[in-house]
Amino acid sequence: MMKTNMLSRVADGMFWLNRYMERADGMLLTLNTFYILSFDKEMNDSQGYKPLLEYYTDLSRTQIAQSQYDTNFVLKYIICDNQNYNSVKNLVIKARENARGSQDKITKELWEHINSLYHYMNAPDLPKRLETYEALSIITKLNKDLLLYNGILHVTMPRGMGWCFSSVGKHIERCLQTISLTQAYYKPISYNLDGEEDLLYWRRLLLSLSGYEQYLKSYSNISHSRKVVQHVIFNKDFSHSVMYTLEYIDKYLDYLIMDNNSSEARTLQNQFGRLKSLVEFTDYYNLNNKQLEEVLEQTKKQLIQFSTDFSKLFFSYT
């Protein structure tokens, strides 16, 4: 990796461009999973779209209770509602603004892809089309567009400072998504690691994190409730696991502060070291219910604080 100085404004743009795109990606994957499984009448589904609405929107509990089974409302609210700060449409608009401000640091291919996605999201007939048989093909197209975004990012972007800021932003966002969705499925069963929940219960969570197939291929004779934790929190070979994302943040943080001898940089590195150790040195074979709840909550809280402090150090936030 070649190290060159970068304006804090541009670094900030790269960081948030990838946080917004990662959020849109995770949200669409979850929406796609819930939407397809909503057609399965055999499933005893008590939550509907609740985990999606709780994490990705600021709707009140009452509003969530009223709309958690309303597919039409959820599709439009999540994908293209102007009032929803976190709708895919608003995330793409914000991502494009950040991309525009960092245009000399991102590739032409990446800019063109973000731009075409922006125009698609702003088509005036999109909300109406989501009420028709086209809904599934729209969600599928958007999922593929986000997958393609990640591919273009990986193949065309130079591995410099911009790449590091992009990667830190992306993996902070992904880690927070994984923790919050995991909490949404463990909370209703009181974090019971020896529970009797079958694979059908965990299928939604695993599909929402792109981890279902990998999970099925890893044999283990322990209960699903404990095995899912091992997979989504501690598995270093699973790209959406908490441990995997923390390893990546650590790697790029090291690179970014390599030549920075300030006490703030050392403090930030120590802060992240403690956060990563919290997960890394948890004995998950002997983990109990209370510890699981605490590890998830503490990791999330500390990661949000780290993200704020990271921004203060590199982007001159006051």
Side-chain angles (χ1 to χ4, degrees):
M1 275 198 216
M2 201 177 83
K3 196 150 185 179
T4 53
N5 287 330
M6 177 177 269
L7 286 170
S8 62
R9 174 183 53 78
V10 177
D12 186 29
M14 300 293 288
F15 177 82
W16 279 105
L17 162 61
N18 278 283
R19 277 200 75 161
Y20 290 139
M21 292 303 272
E22 184 64 30
R23 191 176 305 169
D25 189 20
M27 197 161 70
L28 281 165
L29 199 57
T30 309
L31 178 65
N32 190 32
T33 300
F34 288 16
Y35 180 65
I36 290 168
L37 293 180
S38 71
F39 296 115
D40 187 348
K41 300 302 174 201
E42 301 298 308
M43 275 189 75
N44 179 21
D45 174 28
S46 59
Q47 296 212 72
Y49 293 97
K50 189 180 174 188
L52 175 75
L53 296 171
E54 276 187 339
Y55 178 54
Y56 289 109
T57 74
D58 53 8
L59 292 174
S60 68
R61 282 184 181 179
T62 313
Q63 288 169 311
I64 290 172
Q66 285 166 352
S67 55
Q68 69 188 83
Y69 303 108
D70 184 346
T71 296
N72 261 359
F73 168 81
V74 172
L75 289 186
K76 284 195 285 188
Y77 191 73
I78 291 290
I79 291 174
C80 56
D81 194 311
N82 292 323
Q83 303 307 311
N84 175 11
Y85 178 79
N86 258 351
S87 68
V88 176
K89 180 180 176 179
N90 280 332
L91 289 174
V92 169
I93 289 170
K94 286 183 282 200
R96 184 174 177 264
E97 282 167 10
N98 281 289
R100 189 201 288 278
S102 319
Q103 229 170 330
D104 60 332
K105 297 294 179 190
I106 65 169
T107 57
K108 178 170 163 277
E109 294 89 344
L110 199 65
W111 167 253
E112 285 174 354
H113 186 66
I114 295 165
N115 213 27
S116 72
L117 185 55
Y118 167 83
H119 289 297
Y120 182 81
M121 292 310 305
N122 281 281
D125 62 341
L126 189 61
K128 268 271 171 270
R129 288 170 60 208
L130 284 168
E131 291 178 8
T132 69
Y133 67 91
E134 286 186 83
L136 183 58
S137 62
I138 291 169
I139 298 169
T140 306
K141 177 198 161 19
L142 290 173
N143 267 307
K144 283 183 179 165
D145 278 343
L146 268 297
L147 208 55
L148 191 54
Y149 169 83
N150 282 319
I152 295 169
L153 181 77
H154 267 272
V155 172
T156 68
M157 279 290 291
R159 277 17 181 203
M161 294 279 280
W163 176 260
C164 292
F165 284 114
S166 304
S167 299
V168 172
K170 178 191 193 66
H171 287 95
I172 286 175
E173 190 63 44
R174 185 177 289 188
C175 190
L176 290 171
Q177 285 176 8
T178 297
I179 293 172
S180 299
L181 283 173
T182 303
Q183 287 175 315
Y185 284 87
Y186 277 92
K187 199 176 173 185
I189 61 164
S190 306
Y191 293 88
N192 184 3
L193 286 162
D194 304 305
E196 299 299 312
E197 283 67 32
D198 61 9
L199 189 57
L200 278 180
Y201 180 80
W202 297 111
R203 189 167 63 155
R204 282 170 170 255
L205 171 63
L206 293 164
L207 284 168
S208 299
L209 299 174
S210 295
Y212 186 62
E213 206 174 319
Q214 192 177 338
Y215 180 84
L216 293 180
K217 287 175 180 171
S218 58
Y219 176 75
S220 168
N221 59 359
I222 59 175
S223 75
H224 287 299
S225 301
R226 191 171 285 274
K227 186 183 167 190
V228 166
V229 164
Q230 286 184 12
H231 188 56
V232 302
I233 308 298
F234 301 103
N235 184 355
K236 289 185 179 182
D237 296 324
F238 172 43
S239 64
H240 278 76
S241 82
V242 171
M243 201 58 237
Y244 179 94
T245 52
L246 293 178
E247 294 265 0
Y248 261 77
I249 297 167
D250 198 23
K251 173 184 170 182
Y252 292 114
L253 179 66
D254 275 356
Y255 178 80
L256 287 168
I257 61 180
M258 204 191 311
D259 305 323
N260 189 333
N261 297 317
S262 70
S263 61
E264 290 87 356
R266 283 197 303 278
T267 302
L268 189 72
Q269 197 161 25
N270 292 339
Q271 179 185 349
F272 188 77
R274 287 192 297 275
L275 154 61
K276 188 179 164 213
S277 299
L278 181 66
V279 181
E280 197 170 12
F281 297 111
T282 295
D283 177 7
Y284 61 83
Y285 290 105
N286 298 304
L287 195 66
N288 65 37
N289 309 349
K290 186 78 186 133
Q291 285 168 331
L292 170 63
E293 188 178 354
E294 282 170 4
V295 166
L296 289 173
E297 196 49 51
Q298 278 304 312
T299 306
K300 183 162 137 183
K301 196 171 154 188
Q302 289 183 31
L303 187 57
I304 290 168
Q305 186 58 52
F306 166 76
S307 179
T308 305
D309 295 340
F310 179 88
S311 298
K312 279 180 187 166
L313 179 64
F314 289 106
F315 313 141
S316 314
Y317 284 7
T318 50

